[in-house]
Amino acid sequence: MTVTSHRPTAGDQQSDFDATIAADGRIEPRDWMPDRYRATLIRQIAQHAHSEIIGMQPEGNWLTRAPSLERKSILLAKVQDEAGHGLYLYAAAETLGMSRDEMLDLLHSGGQKYSSIFNYPTLTWADNGAIGWLVDGAAIVNQVPLCRASYGPYARAMIRICKEESFHQRQGFSILLALARGTDEQKAMAQDAVNRWWWPSLMMFGPPDGESPNSADSMAWGIKRFSNDELRQRFVDMTVPQAEILGITLPDPELRWDEESGHYAFGALDWSEFKRVLRGDGPNNAERVRRRKAAHDDGAWVREAATAYAAKQAARMEQSA
Ligand SMILES: [Fe+2]
Ligand SMILES: [Fe+2]
């Protein structure tokens, strides 16, 4: 009897991958994938995971100062959700072959990035409203299409994350609505927070399409489904009517409804500011990373204890077997 085995060649593997992408199927961890697809996903998912956990800091800063028990429990749930998002995403990135330890080391050393939006300070209680409404709102617009990303573990993580993000967006809107219906001082506080968070939120969608170096590959691979500018426009169109309900003015004198395009037109973004914060010169970059490292170091005993416990359990299992 002769046994013939068919060993897939590199060409077969590439064409299987291409066919899966073309059919809008999902690539799973066990599947062959091009090295650049894997590297792009690791970069993107790790950056996303880092953003979730660094993003806990600006609002975590207000947990002890929330104005009522109800607001405090809502904010606590929100900040805990972000920790969970980080965990789902680190787990998704690990399926691509990079360990969580390695990702955290890269975060701490600046080798991997997190979203620049979290380098701005939360100066008043109203900032928690502006973050939920605008930052989580922009995150939703960015992330809903990722529920259909071609990499299975990422897409599945995003489905649950998006459900929780919509609660985050609503709690932010609810904070601002309460302030907007309050005293003149409260109204001014809400307006000031929106003034500071509006432009950075628009920058969350990344550079204009013409200057977005990784976009073309990500689109071809079914990781990204819409361009940065398309998503930014979608966010503006969604947010302007909500600002009207709040009675808050968005800080853009050029913002107007454009009959012809059927979209809101808006003013130019100050990309030099974006690049400055991205380079590490934002108001809170150093502080965010310093606190993250300190939290990691403070947690060393928990990791050591968990590792020792797992070893003990394994030894016991072996003994009883
Ligand atoms: Fe999140
Ligand atoms: Fe969120």
Side-chain angles (χ1 to χ4, degrees), residues 10-250:
D12 288 341
Q13 290 172 322
Q14 179 73 54
S15 57
D16 284 353
F17 174 85
D18 293 342
T20 303
I21 297 289
D24 203 14
R26 294 291 167 269
I27 305 296
E28 295 298 335
R30 63 177 178 273
D31 296 335
W32 182 90
M33 61 189 87
D35 291 342
R36 281 178 46 243
Y37 176 83
R38 184 185 299 275
T40 297
L41 279 168
I42 290 176
R43 180 178 49 77
Q44 179 172 337
I45 302 173
Q47 174 166 339
H48 194 162
H50 298 328
S51 303
E52 300 285 355
I53 64 166
I54 293 277
M56 295 167 73
Q57 290 186 35
E59 290 162 295
N61 181 35
W62 278 89
L63 282 172
T64 55
R65 292 176 288 162
S68 69
L69 184 59
E70 193 193 7
R71 291 290 178 198
K72 182 179 177 136
S73 53
I74 293 170
L75 188 64
L76 191 60
K78 197 258 189 198
V79 172
Q80 284 176 334
D81 281 353
E82 306 300 7
H85 298 176
L87 291 180
Y88 315 152
L89 289 164
Y90 283 122
E94 283 189 305
T95 65
L96 292 157
M98 183 178 278
S99 73
R100 195 183 304 184
D101 280 348
E102 205 177 332
M103 287 182 266
L104 288 173
D105 284 347
L106 286 165
L107 168 63
H108 299 156
S109 67
Q112 285 177 342
K113 291 190 161 40
Y114 58 89
S115 176
S116 276
I117 192 79
F118 301 115
N119 290 319
Y120 293 90
T122 37
L123 303 179
T124 69
W125 169 250
D127 286 52
N128 298 283
I131 291 179
W133 180 45
L134 298 174
V135 176
D136 292 89
I140 293 171
V141 172
N142 252 331
Q143 293 174 5
V144 165
L146 290 172
C147 298
R148 295 193 296 120
S150 59
Y151 188 57
Y154 192 28
R156 288 189 289 273
M158 291 318 302
I159 291 170
R160 177 153 173 194
I161 289 176
C162 284
K163 287 188 179 144
E164 293 175 344
E165 291 303 348
S166 74
F167 151 64
H168 299 173
Q169 200 256 356
R170 284 180 205 183
Q171 65 87 38
F173 186 84
S174 154
I175 289 173
L176 289 179
L177 191 61
L179 293 172
R181 289 176 176 169
T183 62
D184 286 349
E185 211 181 349
Q186 287 171 320
K187 280 181 208 164
M189 194 198 283
Q191 181 65 58
D192 172 65
V194 170
N195 290 349
R196 285 180 287 107
W197 288 93
W198 173 248
W199 293 107
S201 304
L202 293 188
M203 292 178 197
M204 283 173 69
F205 297 92
D209 292 348
E211 297 163 35
S212 180
N214 302 311
S215 280
D217 280 342
S218 288
M219 292 278 233
W221 283 325
I223 300 172
K224 220 173 143 71
R225 303 281 180 174
F226 301 96
S227 78
N228 295 353
D229 288 331
E230 281 173 314
L231 292 169
R232 191 168 7 249
Q233 184 68 58
R234 186 176 296 180
F235 174 69
V236 172
D237 290 346
M238 181 185 98
T239 308
V240 175
Q242 296 175 3
E244 282 163 11
I245 295 170
L246 289 171
I248 285 176
T249 309
L250 295 170

